[in-house]
Amino acid sequence: MSTQTKMSFWTFVGVTMALCANVRSIPSLAAAGWQLVPYLIFAIIFVAMPMTAMCGELSSMYPGEGGLQLWVQEGLGKKWGFVTAWIVWAQMFPGMVMVASTLGPNFGNAIGDPVLANNHWFVFGCIVVIYWIITFLNLKFDMAKFGGSIGVWLGVYIPCLMLLVLGSLTCMKIGITNTGYLGTFSWSALVPDLSNVETLKYLTAIVFIFVGIEMSSVYVPRMEEPAKYVKGVFISVLGLIAINLLNGLLVANIVPKGTIELANITQPIAIECQILGIPSIFVNIFGFMVFFGVMLQLSAWVTGPSKTITAIAKQGMVPKWLGFHKVNKFGVSRNVVLTQSIMITLFSLLFAFIDDVNGVFLVLTNSTTIVYCFVYILIAIAFVKLRYMRPDAERAYKLGGLGNGNVQAWIAAILEVAGIIFAAGTTLLTSSFRDTCIVSLCSIVLILIPLFIYANKKPEWIPDSSELQ
């Protein structure tokens, strides 16, 4: 019998918000100006809500371990289940570089040298040195247990609150400026101007805000009232909208147009402190706090996704000589962690060879989102297929309620796939030729690798029972 306690409705709401809360996307939101409003609405209707509804039902069908990989495997077979597991791991290569790229700018502000924020060599050096230090610490200690809760407070909650308070005070003092990314308000500004697709390049970055929200579906079996799952997610999404929309608009109002630094969340704080007459030491403290918080968050994430690839290695899905099936006393595979650190170092070379910090940050964000959203497409297809394959399977939560009708299931799947294709398409069409090539190459390679591995898998890849001790 399970000893897990039931989760109340409002606890579930809080956990769901915590999964997606971050400050990294706020500069990207601000760069879109007033367009961030329709883009957020698009992300909710076409990505967040359909995906969480589908995953809620799938999680209630398969309440055990496995998650995304298991759902896709049950609907589409072992090959696509393996591809899903691989992508969930591999998307962290560009993703962790994107997150780690904020370390340099925040460290520069912490020591009172904001010029370092746009020094691509300094950003590159911080990523490589700090990530490898974190990697070795994770192999020696249980850093995930130590760093997760502290990191989310220093790197997310407190910075979000400070941005909101200082941004509000600044707006009260100077009003809406004409020099920022917002400019003068008009209702037409809220309607995407397809003749000027400049801001469309931020659409995928805005969609990225909600990537991962489907992970809350694992708590459906623990909810006191599973039928309230979608209601809980909807309230969580409203909370995320409030945080991101308000902070995005406030930052867009005070950062002069054409000067925003996507990887530097300390930039708006520095401007606000100058306007409000707050001593610059406050900026240093904020920069150090976010730097330390992001570092702890990275530490907590080093081992999490690696366990997915370790699990499939134990099933003989990857070459045994890689040693991905071998784990230490913390249940962490040394070879998996070292491999992902090498890959993250290779991806970080983008900052070494390209001096446009903003451009590289956007490329990494778009690559991570597009690769991960490929998994969303697989889930949507598997979800519809399972409606027909297992119509009578027990579901604690079912999209559309009781009955055998599949219309709402099809609507959710179609919205999801259409939204992902549109976001990915506009991102590639509005990026420079260089950036389009990089994003496309990263996405294609990371998706093709697991297909190649699966097509060449061999029986001798399955580890002996003695090797799993």
Side-chain angles (χ1 to χ4, degrees), residues 233-378:
V233 171
F234 182 72
I235 293 174
S236 303
V237 167
L238 289 179
L240 289 168
I241 292 171
I243 293 171
N244 286 283
L245 180 60
L246 290 174
N247 275 323
L249 291 174
L250 291 170
V251 170
N253 184 47
I254 56 98
V255 176
K257 196 163 187 177
T259 65
I260 200 161
E261 299 167 10
L262 298 181
N264 184 12
I265 192 59
T266 310
Q267 182 195 24
I269 290 289
I271 296 173
E272 289 162 354
C273 285
Q274 185 177 19
I275 293 172
L276 297 172
I278 298 174
S280 60
I281 187 66
F282 187 84
V283 180
N284 305 136
I285 295 171
F286 181 88
F288 179 77
M289 180 182 65
V290 176
F291 169 82
F292 192 65
V294 170
M295 191 167 63
L296 287 176
Q297 284 182 288
L298 282 171
S299 180
W301 293 333
V302 164
T303 58
S306 70
K307 293 183 179 180
T308 301
I309 208 72
T310 300
I312 61 175
K314 290 180 179 180
Q315 299 172 21
M317 305 293 278
V318 297
K320 189 165 66 173
W321 58 265
L322 289 172
F324 285 0
H325 59 286
K326 298 177 181 178
V327 298
N328 61 17
K329 62 182 179 180
F330 302 118
V332 175
S333 171
R334 174 178 176 272
N335 287 14
V336 171
V337 170
L338 291 178
T339 298
Q340 70 190 29
S341 296
I342 291 170
M343 293 304 300
I344 286 169
T345 300
L346 292 176
F347 270 92
S348 68
L349 287 171
L350 287 171
F351 283 103
F353 293 110
I354 301 175
D355 61 5
D356 180 8
V357 174
N358 271 359
V360 177
F361 183 87
L362 204 56
V363 162
L364 292 168
T365 301
N366 292 338
S367 297
T368 305
T369 308
I370 291 174
V371 170
Y372 198 90
C373 281
F374 182 74
V375 172
Y376 283 2
I377 293 177
L378 293 178

Side-chain angles (χ1 to χ4, degrees), residues 67-282:
L68 311 184
Q69 175 196 358
L70 176 61
W71 307 337
V72 173
Q73 180 174 303
E74 289 295 317
L76 304 179
K78 287 186 176 180
K79 179 175 77 173
W80 293 109
F82 169 68
V83 169
T84 298
W86 180 278
I87 291 177
V88 168
W89 176 58
Q91 58 86 27
M92 75 177 290
F93 302 157
M96 290 302 96
V97 176
M98 180 267 293
V99 174
S101 68
T102 64
L103 290 169
N106 281 302
F107 184 73
N109 282 285
I111 62 175
D113 190 353
V115 176
L116 290 175
N118 283 312
N119 186 310
H120 64 112
W121 284 109
F122 183 74
V123 172
F124 166 71
C126 282
I127 295 171
V128 174
V129 172
I130 294 173
Y131 197 86
W132 275 99
I133 291 174
I134 289 171
T135 294
F136 287 119
L137 286 175
N138 270 274
L139 293 175
K140 295 294 183 181
F141 308 100
D142 190 2
M143 295 298 292
K145 183 177 180 180
F146 168 74
S149 58
I150 299 176
V152 77
W153 275 99
L154 290 178
V156 178
Y157 298 145
I158 296 176
C160 273
L161 181 61
M162 292 171 68
L163 280 167
L164 188 59
V165 172
L166 290 180
S168 298
L169 292 174
T170 303
C171 189
M172 290 170 61
K173 182 174 181 178
I174 65 174
I176 297 178
T177 67
N178 293 322
T179 58
Y181 282 79
L182 280 186
T184 305
F185 173 78
S186 67
W187 289 108
S188 61
L190 298 177
V191 180
D193 182 5
L194 298 181
S195 64
N196 179 15
V197 295
E198 177 65 21
T199 58
L200 275 172
K201 65 182 180 182
Y202 298 108
L203 179 57
T204 301
I206 292 172
V207 168
F208 181 75
I209 294 171
F210 300 102
V211 167
I213 196 171
E214 78 286 345
M215 300 306 290
S216 67
S217 62
V218 301
Y219 297 107
V220 169
R222 290 182 54 190
M223 291 182 69
E224 292 176 350
E225 299 177 88
K228 290 187 176 181
Y229 167 74
V230 169
K231 179 181 178 182
V233 171
F234 182 72
I235 293 174
S236 303
V237 167
L238 289 179
L240 289 168
I241 292 171
I243 293 171
N244 286 283
L245 180 60
L246 290 174
N247 275 323
L249 291 174
L250 291 170
V251 170
N253 184 47
I254 56 98
V255 176
K257 196 163 187 177
T259 65
I260 200 161
E261 299 167 10
L262 298 181
N264 184 12
I265 192 59
T266 310
Q267 182 195 24
I269 290 289
I271 296 173
E272 289 162 354
C273 285
Q274 185 177 19
I275 293 172
L276 297 172
I278 298 174
S280 60
I281 187 66
F282 187 84

